[in-house]
Amino acid sequence: MMLEFTEEQKMLRDTIRTFAEKEVAPLAYEIDRDERFPTESFNKLKNMGLLGITAPVDYGGAGAGYTELCIVTEELSVACLSTAASWGVHACLCIDNIRRNATQEQLRKYLPPLCEGIKIGGLAMTEPSAGSDVMSMRLRADKKGDSYILNGSKIFISNGPVGDVFVVYAKTDMEKGARGVSAFIVEKEFPGFSRGKKFEKMGWRGSPTGELIFEDCRVPAKNLLGRENSGALVLMSGLNTERVCLGAMSLGLARGAYECALQYAKERVQFGRPIASFQLIQAKLAEMAMEIELSHLITYKGAKMADMGLHRNMNLIASYAKLYTARAAMRITTEAVQILGGYGYMKEFPVERMMRDAKLQQIGGGTDEVQMMIIARDILGL
Ligand SMILES: Cc1cc2nc3c(=O)[nH]c(=O)nc-3n(C[C@H](O)[C@H](O)[C@H](O)COP(=O)(O)OP(=O)(O)OC[C@H]3O[C@@H](n4cnc5c(N)ncnc54)[C@H](O)[C@@H]3O)c2cc1C
């Protein structure tokens, strides 16, 4: 499989790299400190036509593929993981799931305002008692006439505190487990919808995370996304591309930390020599570089498979990408702090933020343990 970028993809990478360095990185510290949504960068991404990167051009999107989605994700993540997360939740979790599963009427109604940034999107799957065991969700959706009435809540929802449109998973048949799950498009204006608490977090602090509450929330039946009781298919196919995107986030985050540590190691002098001349520091840098190369290969292999339309047959590669890159990002950001020594622990350098941000890569979108379960099931044919 050829993973070389095309000339257009290289141009996109260079454009986003320059944008991220000049416009996104300078805001990263403040967004993290103030725990606020990166509105400025979001608006600039809108002006660049990138909010609906995979949405069709006819609906206001860029009509690009998953490789392009990962390129933008990676470059934003080098500069600021929170910005990449806020954008990625909107562009990938919300818009791309709608693009792949919606009716023509739903596409016409929801994609243009989301692609133009008039509305912000999110996706709500996790519940207080249903995380890794997502199919045990208890948000129920009862059909009444031409509406579904939703009752329950969702937790830890990225863009929850600021979002306007959410892809929401609920049980339309409480007895049928995964076969009783359906997906809906829910607007914040629907009666019975409200937001609960906004969470304070260790990392991803510029990506607001909140609770969504549904109290007799009336959702028009025409807002069913996909068929009734087929929500698990929507969810699982979306999870694979989401995991590859999370791989691109981890890759970018690791690169950001490595680049900072490499430069520092060349400049910092101890015992009369740059610390990069010490073999113990060289070993760290060598491992970091190797893991970044492997993260790149596994992530873009996943993106390429998604571009080839293999979403439903890429559980293994998506889990490899998610798990490997998340662990690499955690190791690399931690080693970057170590290479910077005391300065690495201070907020003057970005690596302390990057280390905090990295931990979520091992939890969100399916934990490390869940990825290992998926891989083991696949190789054992269970
Ligand atoms: C900042 C943030 C943003 C998020 N954004 C979103 C979002 O936008 N939308 C959304 O729907 N969700 C979101 N989530 C939720 C996220 O996907 C879940 O937190 C994650 O899937 C883990 O679920 P949990 O937190 O309930 O942990 P649990 O499932 O309770 O797991 C706790 C621990 O037990 C382990 N474990 C669980 N089951 C097994 C098993 N069978 N074998 C071995 N170990 C096991 C887990 O790996 C973990 O270590 C977000 C979470 C965070 C923290």
Side-chain angles (χ1 to χ4, degrees), residues 123 125-126 131-132 156-158 201 209 360 363 365 367 369 373:
L123 176 141
M125 179 171 74
T126 307
S132 301
F156 300 157
I157 306 307
S158 300
K201 308 196 294 293
T209 310
L360 199 263
I363 298 171
T367 62
E369 290 77 13
M373 279 162 50

Side-chain angles (χ1 to χ4, degrees), residues 54-67:
T54 63
V57 175
D58 289 351
Y59 296 109
Y66 290 105
T67 301

Side-chain angles (χ1 to χ4, degrees), residues 116-381:
E116 285 162 28
I118 296 165
K119 292 189 187 291
I120 295 176
L123 176 141
M125 179 171 74
T126 307
E127 298 184 4
S129 58
S132 301
D133 183 13
V134 64
M135 293 304 170
S136 68
M137 67 178 70
R138 283 155 48 178
L139 176 66
R140 59 184 300 154
D142 297 303
K143 186 103 188 267
K144 291 254 167 70
D146 57 1
S147 299
Y148 286 89
I149 308 298
L150 272 57
N151 277 293
S153 67
K154 295 287 179 184
I155 203 172
F156 300 157
I157 306 307
S158 300
N159 288 351
V162 295
D164 304 284
V165 174
F166 296 93
V167 172
V168 175
Y169 294 96
K171 283 267 172 74
T172 30
D173 189 329
M174 300 303 281
E175 309 302 317
K176 284 195 183 154
R179 291 172 197 275
V181 172
S182 300
F184 297 91
I185 305 175
V186 177
E187 298 179 32
K188 74 170 196 292
E189 289 82 10
F190 286 171
F193 174 91
S194 63
R195 301 178 211 269
K197 80 185 251 196
K198 180 185 170 200
F199 293 90
E200 286 183 42
K201 308 196 294 293
M202 172 200 290
W204 273 47
R205 287 165 56 88
S207 161
T209 310
E211 196 181 3
L212 305 182
I213 296 167
F214 304 83
E215 286 169 313
D216 287 332
C217 175
R218 187 173 287 276
V219 177
K222 63 184 180 191
N223 277 35
L224 185 67
L225 186 62
R227 282 177 295 114
E228 189 178 273
N229 293 334
S230 293
L233 286 178
V234 177
L235 189 149
M236 296 320 290
S237 69
L239 267 184
N240 280 341
T241 44
E242 178 195 338
R243 285 174 180 155
V244 171
C245 281
L246 281 160
M249 286 178 77
S250 297
L251 165 62
L253 178 65
R255 257 186 55 212
Y258 165 74
E259 285 165 11
C260 181
L262 183 65
Q263 189 187 340
Y264 187 88
K266 289 182 195 164
E267 290 169 3
R268 174 70 171 172
V269 174
Q270 288 293 281
F271 301 99
R273 292 153 59 185
I275 61 168
S277 69
F278 302 133
Q279 286 187 342
L280 285 171
I281 299 292
Q282 289 173 2
K284 291 185 196 301
L285 292 169
E287 290 217 31
M288 290 160 114
M290 175 182 69
E291 291 190 353
I292 287 168
E293 180 65 17
L294 293 172
S295 295
H296 176 91
L297 291 174
I298 194 81
T299 298
Y300 286 99
K301 181 172 179 184
K304 183 96 181 180
M305 284 179 75
D307 281 335
M308 291 163 74
L310 301 172
H311 308 80
R312 293 187 200 278
N313 302 312
M314 51 181 279
N315 291 357
L316 195 56
I317 195 79
S319 288
Y320 284 160
K322 167 77 173 58
L323 177 62
Y324 182 81
T325 59
R327 286 171 155 190
M330 194 68 247
R331 279 193 297 267
I332 289 168
T333 54
T334 306
E335 287 292 47
V337 170
Q338 194 68 20
I339 289 175
L340 268 72
Y343 288 105
Y345 204 68
M346 303 298 155
K347 290 193 181 280
E348 292 162 64
F349 285 91
V351 290
E352 71 80 31
R353 184 190 76 240
M354 291 171 166
M355 185 177 151
R356 286 186 283 106
D357 283 344
K359 191 62 209 165
L360 199 263
Q361 302 303 110
Q362 297 187 282
I363 298 171
T367 62
D368 280 8
E369 290 77 13
V370 165
Q371 306 315 317
M372 280 187 269
M373 279 162 50
I374 294 169
I375 294 166
R377 260 190 228 134
D378 197 285
I379 59 183
L380 293 168

Side-chain angles (χ1 to χ4, degrees), residues 34-60:
D34 298 346
E35 286 196 88
R36 71 167 178 86
F37 185 81
T39 309
E40 305 89 326
S41 303
F42 200 80
N43 287 339
K44 285 175 187 159
L45 286 161
K46 173 188 82 177
N47 295 339
M48 294 167 88
L50 290 174
L51 291 188
I53 183 163
T54 63
V57 175
D58 289 351
Y59 296 109

